[in-house]
Amino acid sequence: MGDTVQVTMNINGTAQSHDVEPRTLLVHYIRDVCGLTGTNIGCDSSSCGACTIHLDGEAVKSCTMLAVQADGHDLTTIEGLAPSAEKLHPMQQAFHECHALQCGYCTPGMVMAAVSLLDEVPNPTERQVRIGLEGNLCRCTGYHNIVKAVLQCAAEGVAK
Amino acid sequence: MSILGTRVLRKEDPKFLTSGAVYTADLRDPRLASAASVTYVRSTVASATIVSIDTTEAAALPGVLGVYVAADFADLPNLQAMVPLFPPPMMTRPWLADGVVRFVGEPVVAIVAKSTYIGADAAELVEIDYAPLTPVVDLEAASRGEGLVYPDLGTNVGVDFVMFTMMKGVTDDSFFDGCDVVVRQRVVNNRLHAAPLEGRSVACLWEGDKLTFWNSNQGPHSMWSKLQKVYGLTPETSHVISPDVGGGFGLKMEFTPEEALLPELARRHGRPMRWTETRTEAMIGSAHGRDQVQQLAIGGSRDGTVKAYRIEMVGGAGAYCMNGGFLPFLTHVMSSGVYAIPAIETAAKSVVTNTAPVVAFRGAGRPEATAAVERAMDLFAAEIGMDAVAVRRKNLIPKDAFPYTTAVGTVYDTGDYETSLDLVLEHAAYDALRAEQAARRASGAVKQLGIGVSVYVEITAGPAPGSTEWGKVVIGAEGKATIYSGSFSHGQGHATAFAMLVSDQTGISMEDITLVQGDTELVPKGGGTSASKSLQAGGSAVYVAAGQVVDQARELAATLLEASIDDVVLDKATRAFHVQGTPSVSKSWTEVAAAAGGSLAAETDQLAGASFPFGTHLVVVEVDTDTGLTEIMRVVTCDDAGRILNPVLVEGQRHGGIAQGLAQSLIEEIRYDEDGNPLTSNFADYGIISMTELPSYELIPLETPTPNNPLGAKGIGESGVIGATPALQSAICDALSHLGIRHIDIPITPQKVWAAIRAVKV
């Protein structure tokens, strides 16, 4: 084990501070150190997007960053997206209504990426959704209902 | 109104959408807090003898707790293949490669470390000296014995299905006597990876002599019995739990050495053990699907009547025969497709090569059957100059011919193939598409239009006699129901589907019904989820058990109401029992359960006979004749899975299957170079389908119930993948047919299209 370095960041509104190896990937920090296991790991080449979170409000793949690079930043994971325990975020609600998830493994990353997409492009065409979310893979849904959910959420005019 | 057949959203969604599901790697059971991490060092050579393994430096790394090689597990009984058709050496997986490596990715060394990071560091320090042998990579060369994976056996053939009398074999060309036209074609059904987004994962611990084992699989019970065999355990001393599972698609029916070794490591180190594979390990070291080379011959008359069809198969099993070696048999079972072909000959061999093992992947042998017969139909149509749809229509098994026995002896339950074809052609406006195609051809457009149609039938809950599943329904003192099922959801939505069945029988509302699954202490037996059988077998068991609970309750209610049981009815709207015509005096589920001593329960095993879902897929593509790039414009499908329980879930299964089916024809392929090095070892180089390559799908419903289970349901998990692959292949070939191109093997990449066009232009 090498030397450690202290990282401090805000995840889902809670301050987190730990000593980690400098090589620790952000996704491992979130899952194994902070215990937030909603964020998943699906590949080792930055291809699948299962680990997508928000860094300062923008979607990033947390497997492609070191924890130290997130030092001092604000992070949101799937656990922090819903406005309250009783109410889903509109994107989560749209995924539910459109049956846009099956095994659920891509879902946290897909939802986070989709929310970020609508921040950038509030009224996307189907083609824009497909291009915008290309970096998030799903093996169950054939993407049909995911695209439908994102378009439905956009049509309801509630990006965030 | 019954809830059956209605659009019910999934009960399981909220957790998945907020905190995320709890997959094996997510488990935070306090008993696992001290778990060590396992890392495997894998072979980098396809075929070699192991000269030496030096683990000194790895073992000395701080944080490394143990380093193991094959000799360390000599006394541990090996895992055996699921289908015991092969010579024992081929179907016995060593725990770690023992003196010989047979594919790149085969585990050679196991490292136990305090963390995955330390394990990865230690893996880099292990030195393995290989003496390379000439690998056997090509399937057909392997079948001819050009090089041997197991030199001592003298053959690469794991099973010859003709020799085992499971197929009749092929005769000479007199088989095609009486045919005006005979067309022959070699067809490749490419090797794929199922690629569930969650890879293999295990966590386990011992408490005294009792093992608790968490595992990402398609149902815990087969792993439970295998672990008992390996470790000498009993049902009481072994507990297997399948938590939430991130997809399976057939791959996770299998149990691999990397998973089953963990209890041994946990025992030796006296601490819990965890292993979760990386994506690269999954791609090269778990198992692949499909992998068949077929020699097709089809003969018939110039009016379009098909008279004889022959398929000879070489099926890839990989370096060790797992269940994939069995798949050509399922291709044989479904070789006739939807057609009334009077004479069919089949033959197949499963052969080993120095590649990763092959296992069932969504469809498992039936996609290969449909791809073959649909290709044959297209080629036959092209040869006689008839429209491919017209040739299909002429040969379809008519809807009044069921039950229908094909020339290979498979008995189809029910079907209405022509209606599915008509619905799709009408929805897609087939004639207009052909007119547009003609216009583009006439104008010499760079982007040519292609239209592909496949009509398919497959077998679910099969093969004969069918599939059995266990189910139990308990209604407690609060009037709430708990379902126990031996089936297992890893995304299919059992919690919703099975609750609908119980709600329909009992009147109890959906939110008061819970599903228990995936735990061998709570569910005593089960077959898990595979072969699209969950609703047919598992659902039928739950439905019948719920009916039995209602019968028990009526009997008790009759006593409480001092009435004859024949006069007592269950009012599902008020969830209460009363005498017919006297609803004011009633007994609720709570009262009846109390009278039964607190709860009512019934359990049953249900055999669902094999059923035969069918349908038609039509795919429209634009192929850029300058670049070879294919764009999928439309996908229209009619998939008939018998009586539908929940259209939401059925559509989801269809969508997912369609995408994986299109992927096989468009872009996905596991590839090796001639030395057996994997060329597709992660999601960056494997052409895993993304949403930009796909359109939205146009689905048409059709319901032709089966008599083979109480629900009338057929399986829907695999239909999409079976219909879509040949439809897309046909569409791309169709777009190029005016250039004189009839056949391109899948996946039809831009390079292949470009090369095919170049070849005919020269």
Side-chain angles (χ1 to χ4, degrees), chain B residues 26 87 158 264 278 300 369 377 396 425 455 550 574 618 625 665 743 760:
Chain B
D26 299 342
E264 179 65 17
T278 65
M377 283 288 162
L396 289 176
L425 295 179
V455 191
V550 171
T574 60
L618 183 146
T625 51
S665 277
H743 177 80
V760 293

Side-chain angles (χ1 to χ4, degrees), chain B residues 546-587:
Chain B
Q548 290 171 352
V549 170
V550 171
D551 289 343
Q552 289 175 25
R554 278 178 60 231
E555 200 172 331
L556 278 165
T559 309
L560 295 172
L561 294 163
E562 295 176 355
S564 159
I565 183 170
D566 295 336
D567 298 332
V568 174
V569 295
L570 167 61
D571 182 340
K572 289 177 188 172
T574 60
R575 293 168 225 159
F577 297 86
H578 61 80
V579 173
Q580 181 90 45
T582 320
S584 54
V585 184
S586 68
K587 296 291 171 189

Side-chain angles (χ1 to χ4, degrees), chain B residues 643-657:
Chain B
R643 189 162 289 133
I644 291 174
L645 170 65
N646 184 343
V648 173
L649 300 180
V650 167
E651 289 162 13
Q653 288 296 313
R654 290 169 71 184
H655 294 153

Side-chain angles (χ1 to χ4, degrees), chain B residues 244-311:
Chain B
D244 291 322
V245 169
F249 312 114
L251 180 64
K252 290 182 185 165
M253 287 163 64
E254 280 285 0
F255 200 35
T256 55
E258 293 103 304
E259 296 162 283
L261 186 61
L262 259 72
E264 179 65 17
L265 297 171
R267 189 153 65 182
R268 291 192 188 197
H269 287 269
R271 64 195 287 174
M273 211 54 68
R274 303 186 85 132
W275 173 66
T276 298
E277 71 181 344
T278 65
R279 177 53 50 189
T280 302
E281 287 184 288
M283 297 304 289
I284 67 170
S286 59
H288 301 145
R290 308 277 189 269
D291 199 24
Q292 219 181 73
V293 178
Q294 306 162 331
Q295 296 288 345
L296 308 181
I298 185 168
S301 49
R302 292 205 171 272
D303 71 352
T305 306
V306 174
K307 294 179 172 174
Y309 173 58
R310 173 189 285 168
I311 173 168

